[in-house]
Amino acid sequence: MGSSGSHATVIPDGDSIRRETGFSQASLLRLYHRFRALDRNKKGYLSRMDLQQIGALAVNPLGDRIIDSFFPDGSQRVDFSGFVRVLAHFRPVDEEEAGIRDPKQPEPLNSRMNKLRFAFQLYDLDRDGKISRHEMLQVLRLMVGVQVTEEQLESIADRTVQEADEDGDGAVSFLEFTKSLEKMNIEQKMSIRILK
Amino acid sequence: MSGRGGCGPCWGLLLALVLALGALPWTQGAEQEHHDEIQGFQIVTFKWHHVQDPYIIALWVLVASLAKIVFHLSHKVTSVVPESALLIVLGLVLGGIVLAADHIASFTLTPTVFFFYLLPPIVLDAGYFMPNRLFFSNLGSILLYAVVGTVWNAATTGLSLYGVFLSGIMGELKIGLLDFLLFGSLIAAVDPVAVLAVFEEVHVNEVLFIIVFGESLLNDAVTVVLYNVFQSFVTLGGDKVTGVDCVKGIVSFFVVSLGGTLVGVVFAFLLSLVTRFTKHVRVIEPGFVFIISYLSYLTSEMLSLSSILAITFCGICCQKYVKANISEQSATTVRYTMKMLASGAETIIFMFLGISAVDPLIWTWNTAFVLLTLLFVSVFRAIGVVLQTWLLNRYRMVQLELIDQVVMSYGGLRGAVAFALVALLDGNKVKEKNLFVSTTIIVVFFTVIFQGLTIKPLVQWLKVKRSEHREPKLNEKLHGRAFDHILSAIEDISGQIGHNYLRDKWANFDRRFLSKLLMRQSAQKSRDRILNVFHELNLKDAISYVTEGERRGSLAFIRSPSTDNMVNVDFSTPRPSTVEASVSYLLRESASAVCLDMQSLEQRRRSVRDAEDVITHHTLQQYLYKPRQEYKHLYSRHVLSPSEDEKQDKEIFHRTMRKRLESFKSAKLGLGQSKKATKHKRERERAQKRRNSSVPNGKLPLDSPAYGLTLKERELELSDPEEAPDYYEAEKMSGGIEFLASVTKDTTSDSPAGIDNPVFSPDEDLAPSLLARVPPWLSPGEAVVPSQRARVQIPYSPGNFRRLAPFRLSNKSVDSFLLAEDGAEHPESTHM
């Protein structure tokens, strides 16, 4: 299986990226090749268009939202470190690594909280720290087949928000979001084995 | 045993059939004597010998098929015991009965029948339905396991047996080293038939499956070469084998494997080319698929190349083009026929394996040999897998973990190929042929029955982690599904599967040359997925529209031509078409109702809520899009999965494309967004007025500049100028609908003016209710276009209003923007 590619490739800022994201040298190199393959015109950054070229994303109901998460704050391009930083959320949580972590250091990108935060911001479009009923409904519309009527969807959205909503403000805050998922093995569910 | 009652009569029937089979030869003899005596013309004659062979074959097939029905009467049995094992046992029983009645074993699985008639359908089926992307992504690993693994198995098994033989435990046998190696080579190969039969019922992850499955298919070349080489060595005699022969053997491996592959590819090319021109002979289209694939098998057999490789690759390579070329009906026919043949062949193979074992002539027992073979086969398989996986994991992105290795080792099933090969041995040259045959049978039975029986519990036991089973909360369910989607998207972005570069190159080559050569023009065009999506959606809408009408008891809605009635329909009333909706409304009503008795209100809410919970869970369960890992079905011989997945893909694809198109346009048009937004609003209102004024006659004023722009946009997206003329038509026709619908739409909702984030905001537009709407510029020429009247009325089908609104755009869609804007820019245009 292909460990192809030139080994002479030098990743700009490789070391600092590696420290921040926790990727191994090999994964980082692989991701760098991927980054350059996606970068159609060798611009040195990726545009939305580059990511939209990935066919499988077009049939992923959340595909475009995930693409958007690569472009925070309305920017139109993402460089390699930004690219890797997003992917780093999905690095598996290393038990030993978590054990010996220096508490003074900022939480690694792949911590449970950060994984959840990544998911949360896919819902929270207006960045007000809350998933409103409206935002919930939008996600539902994306994820549910056309067989479900609008009324059904609305009632599902209502129920979902109500279920998680603890302070009764009709929206799900990040705290409520994490609470509603506390039984879930996020560390496992939001990790990709190969992203070491 | 739930199916006990039903089983009795069937077993009786089976027994009767078997007895008939056993008894027939006698009657045949008696009949013949009788026949000779009678002179003169006879009205009715009994000519058993005339139909004997095909008759017996047909009867056996019938018995095997009936047996399958019987097995599946009881889910309990089939969920525990794999069908292949049941069939072998059945074969043993039937063989015993025939033997008891006939005193000779008259029916056995002969290598000729197996290799010429039973194996090809199974392998073709495997190739034709091969998940290509998965297969080629893992080709490296598959090849390593298939080539190195098989050689390793053959060598170690043969050599160890020889070593033990030298120690004298096995007693006196007339075997040399080469015989042992020959035996090792035929027992080494993992069998595609057995692997498929067992793995189909054990649901392992797709990577693991494709590796074991691919290995079993591709190791054929190695098996064939090893088998031939050692057979010729045995014939030559050990002392005459020279180094040159060994080199020849290695060379022949490459010739056999690459040659077989090449034959397959060439025939796949031919097949694709032929199906390109079958437009006027649709009926025989499916025939070509089978005949040409079969010819590839026979050709490589004739050239003594690997025939399994040939037909596998024929199937793999042709699937894309054939599926695009042949008509839908033909494709269905091919699918079903292939599944039927493969499934039938598999059934017969396993049953006959059982029957063949009941033959006192072939049994030579040597406890040490048999047990040691079993031991070595299993142990060396495991060792080989571990070694190779260790090597592979240094390069693989998706690591094969210990559990995977256990399953891979345990899934190394031997089957009918080994049996057929051992039956082919020449008893004069291989002195201990019978010992080999009996040992092979034992190994096959052991792996298929014992390992097949235990692999499912093993797989379940190894993945014991997920023992907690409770109904997850709504949030967990929804977010869990979202996480799955996120993961698969991230995988796609991070290019997890790799080989993207090669695949890209290949796709390019395919698009520029191969597809042009091998696909019909129409097929090339219809590969444009956007068009397909729209076509499908149109069809579906038309169907559901009619169904809905019929469900309501009449097709009166077709008959009433007056549009006035339609306009008067009050859409603002909630339509209690579903239980869910009504419950939900009940809830809201009760919550908002002025009710002084708070406790009773709370009570009521709670019960309603519980009921709704159940329903909501159900709805979610049913309709949430499945993440790729779940729905991308693996190869399955017995199950023809419906096109659920494609449907889902299309829905999402359509949604995504529409959204992107809009954000693309808004980005393009929205240079000064805030200004623009207000302008739009104003213009929309103006356009609205225009439309309202033209409602009575139901005609939309069309101005060509607007459509010119639309057309340009469309070409940008589709780059299919050939379709252009049709679009004008579609556009014109759907125009009426569009504005009619927007009359009602505009009053109820107003879009948030100003687009903060061009990508996010169109979301609102993409409600599933509006999903079915496809921008007119996406309409393919050949899409089903309902009659003018039907079109006008479709949006007003009362039960299905939202779903059936494919022909209009929302007021926010770019098209109406364009329309409105255009009107403003050309104030003098005629329709003002």
Side-chain angles (χ1 to χ4, degrees):
Chain A
M1 303 286 295
S3 70
S4 62
S6 53
H7 293 286
T9 327
V10 180
I11 304 164
D13 285 337
D15 284 342
S16 66
I17 294 176
R18 203 143 59 90
R19 229 172 296 122
E20 188 186 357
T21 60
F23 280 119
S24 70
Q25 182 72 36
S27 319
L28 206 59
L29 193 68
R30 191 165 51 73
L31 288 176
Y32 188 60
H33 284 304
R34 175 65 177 166
F35 178 81
R36 298 213 305 184
L38 287 173
D39 180 7
R40 299 257 157 176
N41 314 319
K42 301 282 162 275
K43 304 180 288 292
Y45 61 87
L46 295 182
S47 66
R48 276 203 168 76
M49 211 60 137
D50 289 323
L51 292 181
Q52 286 174 355
Q53 302 283 355
I54 303 171
L57 286 188
V59 294
N60 190 321
L62 296 177
D64 277 2
R65 290 210 175 192
I66 287 153
I67 292 180
D68 290 327
S69 67
F70 280 85
F71 303 93
D73 311 326
S75 68
Q76 289 306 312
R77 50 180 71 179
V78 58
D79 60 4
F80 181 60
S81 69
F83 179 72
V84 178
R85 212 173 294 130
V86 174
L87 295 183
H89 287 93
F90 298 91
R91 203 165 58 84
V93 179
D94 201 336
E95 306 283 325
E96 302 147 35
E97 201 178 302
I100 56 161
R101 191 170 58 85
D102 185 355
K104 270 169 273 171
Q105 294 260 319
E107 225 175 313
L109 286 168
N110 62 348
S111 71
R112 178 188 172 94
M113 273 301 153
N114 276 325
K115 283 176 194 292
L116 281 173
R117 202 174 293 280
F118 182 88
F120 186 78
Q121 53 95 17
L122 290 182
Y123 291 82
D124 181 23
L125 294 185
D126 57 8
R127 301 271 183 275
D128 65 348
K130 282 182 164 134
I131 304 174
S132 64
R133 174 179 175 274
H134 181 67
E135 283 164 339
M136 191 67 88
L137 191 56
Q138 284 182 329
V139 172
L140 270 168
R141 277 177 188 149
L142 289 177
M143 300 215 335
V144 175
V146 290
Q147 303 89 335
V148 184
T149 63
E150 188 63 19
E151 283 86 359
Q152 288 172 297
L153 270 188
E154 280 175 13
S155 93
I156 294 173
D158 283 341
R159 290 291 314 130
T160 315
V161 172
Q162 274 176 32
E163 190 185 271
D165 186 14
E166 289 189 336
D167 54 8
D169 62 350
V172 184
S173 67
F174 182 61
L175 197 67
E176 288 161 351
F177 182 72
T178 48
K179 268 230 170 108
S180 71
L181 296 176
E182 63 188 353
K183 294 247 173 63
M184 224 171 179
N185 188 355
I186 302 297
E187 288 87 346
Q188 197 187 330
K189 198 127 176 61
M190 286 281 276
S191 293
I192 298 178
R193 193 151 51 149
I194 45 109
L195 289 176
K196 279 187 179 160
Chain B
M1 282 278 280
S2 53
R4 208 22 139 182
C7 282
C10 298
W11 277 111
L13 187 65
L14 278 183
L15 281 179
L17 264 171
V18 168
L19 289 178
L21 282 173
L24 279 171
W26 299 334
T27 50
Q28 172 205 347
E31 186 62 29
Q32 214 138 18
E33 286 165 27
H34 187 56
H35 187 74
D36 293 337
E37 292 166 16
I38 294 166
Q39 304 290 321
F41 180 74
Q42 277 177 305
I43 298 171
V44 180
T45 53
F46 186 74
K47 293 193 278 186
W48 164 248
H49 64 280
H50 187 60
V51 293
Q52 186 181 6
D53 290 345
Y55 205 94
I56 288 180
I57 292 170
L59 272 186
W60 278 123
V61 173
L62 180 68
V63 170
S65 312
L66 285 177
K68 263 184 117 138
I69 299 180
V70 174
F71 295 153
H72 285 279
L73 283 179
S74 165
H75 284 288
K76 239 183 214 163
V77 173
T78 41
S79 65
V80 176
V81 188
E83 209 181 270
S84 43
L86 285 175
L87 282 168
I88 287 186
V89 174
L90 173 73
L92 284 172
V93 172
L94 293 185
I97 295 171
V98 172
L99 186 71
D102 213 3
H103 299 293
I104 48 155
S106 31
F107 308 102
T108 50
L109 186 64
T110 61
T112 325
V113 170
F114 174 73
F115 281 118
F116 281 168
Y117 305 110
L118 294 177
L119 191 56
I122 294 178
V123 184
L124 173 64
D125 176 74
Y128 192 75
F129 293 103
M130 178 73 77
N132 271 358
R133 185 185 163 131
L134 199 58
F135 176 76
F136 284 109
S137 304
N138 293 292
L139 190 60
S141 315
I142 293 172
L143 279 177
L144 184 79
Y145 286 118
V147 178
V148 180
T150 308
V151 172
W152 159 268
N153 282 352
T156 50
T157 309
L159 291 175
S160 317
L161 281 176
Y162 181 63
V164 175
F165 166 70
L166 288 184
S167 77
I169 296 179
M170 291 176 195
E172 282 301 307
L173 291 173
K174 284 169 274 177
I175 324 186
L177 173 63
L178 286 172
D179 300 74
F180 275 111
L181 285 174
L182 176 60
F183 178 69
S185 71
L186 67 86
I187 204 78
V190 177
D191 184 72
V193 186
V195 162
L196 275 176
V198 168
F199 269 68
E200 189 147 84
E201 296 170 29
V202 188
H203 300 284
V204 295
N205 67 63
E206 51 183 16
V207 173
L208 186 55
F209 174 80
I210 201 73
I211 286 179
V212 179
F213 175 38
E215 179 200 338
S216 69
L217 278 175
L218 298 195
N219 64 18
D220 173 65
V222 183
T223 312
V224 166
V225 171
L226 285 179
Y227 180 81
N228 287 339
V229 165
F230 286 121
Q231 201 179 24
S232 61
F233 285 0
V234 169
T235 313
L236 276 174
D239 43 342
K240 294 190 191 98
V241 176
T242 61
V244 180
D245 289 319
C246 296
V247 174
K248 272 188 196 162
I250 293 171
V251 171
S252 88
F253 163 71
F254 287 101
V255 173
V256 166
S257 55
L258 295 179
T261 309
L262 186 72
V263 168
V265 172
V266 167
F267 275 87
F269 183 83
L270 274 179
L271 174 56
S272 310
L273 202 61
V274 168
T275 52
R276 198 189 154 170
F277 302 105
T278 50
K279 196 176 179 184
H280 302 293
V281 283
R282 290 285 192 205
V283 180
I284 57 168
E285 249 173 9
F288 284 118
V289 177
F290 294 100
I291 290 299
I292 296 185
S293 318
Y294 190 48
L295 276 178
S296 78
Y297 185 89
L298 293 181
T299 307
S300 64
E301 189 72 41
M302 177 178 75
L303 301 171
S304 68
L305 303 172
S306 166
S307 43
I308 291 188
L309 276 184
I311 198 167
T312 304
F313 275 92
C314 184
I316 287 179
C317 297
C318 78
Q319 51 171 266
K320 178 181 172 188
Y321 309 105
V322 167
K323 279 171 188 167
N325 279 339
I326 61 180
S327 70
E328 218 168 291
Q329 287 90 337
S330 303
T332 312
T333 313
V334 168
R335 285 214 310 271
Y336 275 94
T337 315
M338 217 171 255
K339 290 289 171 202
M340 191 194 79
L341 288 178
S343 190
E346 184 197 276
T347 308
I348 295 171
I349 286 173
F350 281 117
M351 200 178 77
F352 268 78
L353 268 181
I355 292 175
S356 308
V358 188
D359 183 354
L361 298 180
I362 59 167
W363 283 97
T364 309
W365 189 261
N366 184 326
T367 314
F369 188 77
V370 170
L371 289 183
L372 282 171
T373 307
L374 268 181
L375 179 72
F376 289 145
V377 161
S378 314
V379 168
F380 286 121
R381 163 87 186 164
I383 294 176
V385 164
V386 170
L387 286 180
Q388 292 168 81
T389 312
W390 175 79
L391 191 71
L392 277 175
N393 270 348
R394 305 177 58 166
Y395 301 102
R396 279 186 67 90
M397 289 173 205
V398 184
Q399 300 281 301
L400 294 167
E401 286 172 359
L402 193 66
I403 290 175
D404 299 336
Q405 296 175 34
V406 172
V407 176
M408 278 167 67
S409 320
Y410 207 69
L413 306 179
R414 271 54 165 195
V417 172
F419 177 76
L421 285 177
V422 84
L424 264 182
L425 288 177
D426 184 349
N428 297 326
K429 286 165 188 147
V430 183
K431 298 285 184 293
E432 296 288 348
K433 179 185 172 184
N434 279 347
L435 179 60
F436 287 172
V437 172
S438 4
T439 310
T440 308
I441 290 178
I442 294 290
V443 170
V444 169
F445 283 12
F446 177 81
T447 54
V448 171
I449 296 178
F450 179 75
Q451 291 184 193
L453 207 63
T454 47
I455 194 165
K456 209 168 186 177
L458 181 77
V459 166
Q460 276 161 0
W461 178 71
L462 286 174
K463 285 177 183 167
V464 74
K465 291 169 214 156
R466 261 188 302 154
S467 55
E468 189 191 10
H469 186 78
R470 73 197 160 83
E471 186 69 9
K473 289 193 291 180
L474 208 51
N475 272 286
E476 290 175 355
K477 193 174 259 175
L478 175 64
H479 302 319
R481 193 52 70 82
F483 293 160
D484 289 342
H485 287 306
I486 294 171
L487 273 201
S488 68
I490 291 293
E491 273 183 16
D492 291 326
I493 289 175
S494 65
Q496 166 252 339
I497 301 187
H499 305 283
N500 292 288
Y501 177 75
L502 268 180
R503 190 159 43 227
D504 249 28
K505 285 274 170 220
W506 171 255
N508 253 334
F509 173 72
D510 178 63
R511 201 177 57 242
R512 283 167 62 194
F513 303 106
L514 271 184
S515 290
K516 283 213 172 110
L517 185 64
L518 297 180
M519 272 193 208
R520 291 191 187 153
Q521 226 112 47
S522 56
Q524 287 171 37
K525 223 179 285 167
S526 69
R527 279 174 69 217
D528 201 327
R529 297 192 58 182
I530 300 178
L531 300 185
N532 276 341
V533 170
F534 184 61
H535 181 73
E536 298 277 317
L537 285 173
N538 268 354
L539 269 181
K540 212 161 57 189
D541 283 342
I543 291 170
S544 58
Y545 170 58
V546 173
T547 327
E548 180 74 4
E550 281 175 349
R551 199 172 61 79
R552 278 158 190 279
S554 79
L555 293 171
F557 57 92
I558 290 177
R559 266 180 267 123
S560 85
S562 155
T563 47
D564 295 349
N565 300 346
M566 301 301 167
V567 179
N568 288 336
V569 177
D570 184 5
F571 291 111
S572 58
T573 345
R575 168 174 46 89
S577 67
T578 55
V579 189
E580 290 92 318
S582 61
V583 173
S584 143
Y585 270 95
L586 193 59
L587 171 67
R588 263 181 243 153
E589 226 108 88
S590 71
S592 62
V594 183
C595 184
L596 292 176
D597 187 354
M598 289 306 281
Q599 200 155 13
S600 81
L601 175 66
E602 201 45 47
Q603 206 88 38
R604 189 169 149 214
R605 267 182 80 169
R606 197 166 294 144
S607 64
V608 172
R609 199 189 264 197
D610 285 348
E612 196 182 359
D613 248 8
V614 173
I615 296 161
T616 311
H617 273 295
H618 178 72
T619 311
L620 268 187
Q621 182 70 43
Q622 205 165 358
Y623 293 118
L624 269 178
Y625 286 134
K626 293 190 185 65
R628 187 183 43 185
Q629 292 92 326
E630 282 179 36
Y631 78 75
K632 279 273 158 69
H633 68 285
L634 294 174
Y635 170 88
S636 160
R637 184 172 310 144
H638 304 290
V639 184
L640 270 169
S641 57
S643 51
E644 274 297 314
D645 317 341
E646 290 168 32
K647 209 173 73 199
Q648 169 180 333
D649 268 3
K650 278 176 184 160
E651 272 175 34
I652 305 174
F653 183 75
H654 165 230
R655 225 181 268 194
T656 311
M657 279 308 148
R658 180 170 151 72
K659 197 164 80 176
R660 281 185 190 167
L661 194 61
E662 286 192 17
S663 75
F664 173 73
K665 283 187 181 175
S666 64
K668 199 173 143 189
L669 300 173
L671 295 170
Q673 273 182 5
S674 57
K675 203 180 79 188
K676 196 104 177 182
T678 50
K679 209 172 111 196
H680 275 166
K681 211 172 174 181
R682 226 181 330 116
E683 279 158 8
R684 209 182 307 124
E685 280 163 14
R686 250 196 309 165
Q688 201 52 56
K689 269 184 221 147
R690 253 188 290 140
R691 288 169 178 173
N692 286 338
S693 67
S694 53
V695 165
N697 61 4
K699 273 180 193 145
L700 180 73
L702 302 172
D703 43 350
S704 43
Y707 282 102
L709 185 48
T710 315
L711 190 65
K712 222 166 65 194
E713 295 288 354
R714 189 183 59 75
E715 277 179 16
L716 207 97
E717 286 299 314
L718 303 182
S719 58
D720 193 355
E722 288 178 57
E723 301 281 346
D726 297 329
Y727 282 104
Y728 280 108
E729 279 310 307
E731 194 96 32
K732 257 183 224 154
M733 294 176 76
S734 60
I737 305 294
E738 179 200 334
F739 78 83
L740 268 181
S742 53
V743 172
T744 50
K745 170 78 181 167
D746 271 12
T747 54
T748 53
S749 75
D750 206 352
S751 67
I755 300 170
D756 302 328
N757 184 332
V759 179
F760 285 152
S761 59
D763 255 356
E764 220 201 349
D765 245 347
L766 292 166
S769 58
L770 308 183
L771 268 180
R773 284 179 216 162
V774 177
W777 63 80
L778 293 183
S779 160
E782 65 264 42
V784 178
V785 180
S787 72
Q788 186 75 35
R789 199 171 63 187
R791 286 175 149 275
V792 171
Q793 289 171 16
I794 278 178
Y796 303 103
S797 165
N800 228 357
F801 172 65
R802 288 171 186 277
R803 260 302 273 128
L804 283 172
F807 302 102
R808 71 190 156 98
L809 290 163
S810 78
N811 54 337
K812 274 181 297 163
S813 90
V814 186
D815 209 31
S816 22
F817 280 1
L818 290 173
L819 209 61
E821 205 174 8
D822 198 80
E825 278 161 23
H826 307 272
E828 267 75 49
S829 69
T830 49
H831 60 265
M832 280 301 282

